[in-house]
Amino acid sequence: EPEQTLVDTDILQVESVPSIENLSCGFDIVVSACVMTQLFHAAKVSRISEENQNRLIFALRKQHIQFMLSITKQNGTSILATDMSSFETDQDFSAVESCDVHEMMLELIDKKVFFTGSNPFALMNEIREKHEIVSQLKDAIFLSPWLWQMFKHRVYLVYALALLKK
C-alpha cells in the first residue's frame, strides 16, 4: 500500500506539464531524439511492481509529448523519434531496405519485443484518444522506421512521429 501511494503521488507530479520560465515564444520545430525511452529507464530499474512501473512509464510518455507540444509554436512541428527495440547482432544492416525495416518492426510488435511505452501503434492511439493532446494537433504522421547501429554489435529499431500543431 505505501508503494501504491508513492507511485500515485509520482504520477500526479509527472502528469503536470512543466513549463520553461522566460520562454515567451516557443519553437517552430521541437525534436526529441531518442530521449523518451531514457526517461523510462528510472521506472524500469525501480523496485516497484511491474504494474506500477508501467503506469509511471505511460504517465512519463504522456507528459513528454505534452511538454514537446507546449514549447512548439502554433503551426509548428514536434518530432518524436524514439527507439522501439534493440538487439545484439553481427549482421551488417547498411543495405537493408526501408520496407524490410517496416516488416521487422511489425514482427517485433507481434512478438511483443519492444521497450515498454514505445509501441508506435499504442502511442498513436494515445495521441488520438487524449483530448488534451489531439485538440492541439492538425495531424500526427508516422514516419518510416530505420535501424541505428550505435555500437559494433548493438542495433536499435527507431521510428518517428511528426506532430503538426494547430
Side-chain angles (χ1 to χ4, degrees), residues 31-49:
V31 178
S32 172
C34 294
V35 172
M36 191 171 71
T37 54
Q38 299 305 306
L39 295 172
F40 301 165
H41 183 70
K44 289 306 285 182
V45 298
S46 66
R47 295 183 182 195
I48 59 176
S49 69

Side-chain angles (χ1 to χ4, degrees), residues 18-148:
S19 62
I20 296 180
E21 300 284 327
N22 302 321
L23 181 63
S24 60
C25 54
F27 302 98
D28 293 319
I29 298 175
V30 173
V31 178
S32 172
C34 294
V35 172
M36 191 171 71
T37 54
Q38 299 305 306
L39 295 172
F40 301 165
H41 183 70
K44 289 306 285 182
V45 298
S46 66
R47 295 183 182 195
I48 59 176
S49 69
E50 185 176 348
E51 177 186 344
N52 283 329
Q53 287 176 7
N54 291 341
R55 289 180 58 222
L56 188 53
I57 285 170
F58 297 139
L60 286 164
R61 179 175 73 185
K62 179 181 170 189
Q63 188 259 12
H64 187 62
I65 292 166
Q66 288 179 308
F67 177 68
M68 289 176 64
L69 291 172
S70 76
I71 62 173
T72 303
K73 281 184 181 180
Q74 183 178 3
N75 294 314
T77 302
S78 292
I79 298 174
L80 174 67
T82 190
D83 45 331
M84 187 196 94
S85 191
S86 71
F87 46 94
E88 296 285 330
T89 184
D90 288 326
Q91 186 176 348
D92 177 14
F93 286 101
S94 60
V96 173
E97 298 289 328
S98 63
C99 60
D100 295 334
V101 177
H102 193 268
E103 288 300 318
M104 184 184 300
M105 180 192 77
L106 294 175
E107 186 177 319
L108 289 169
I109 291 170
D110 188 50
K111 292 178 179 178
K112 297 182 178 6
V113 180
F114 52 84
F115 302 133
T116 302
S118 67
N119 178 329
F121 300 115
L123 183 52
M124 285 294 276
N125 284 340
E126 179 170 345
I127 288 168
R128 290 185 180 121
E129 292 172 3
K130 301 288 184 198
H131 175 74
E132 59 271 28
I133 296 173
V134 74
S135 64
Q136 298 180 61
L137 300 177
K138 284 191 266 189
D139 203 357
I141 302 166
F142 177 80
L143 304 173
S144 294
W146 64 94
L147 296 174
W148 172 35

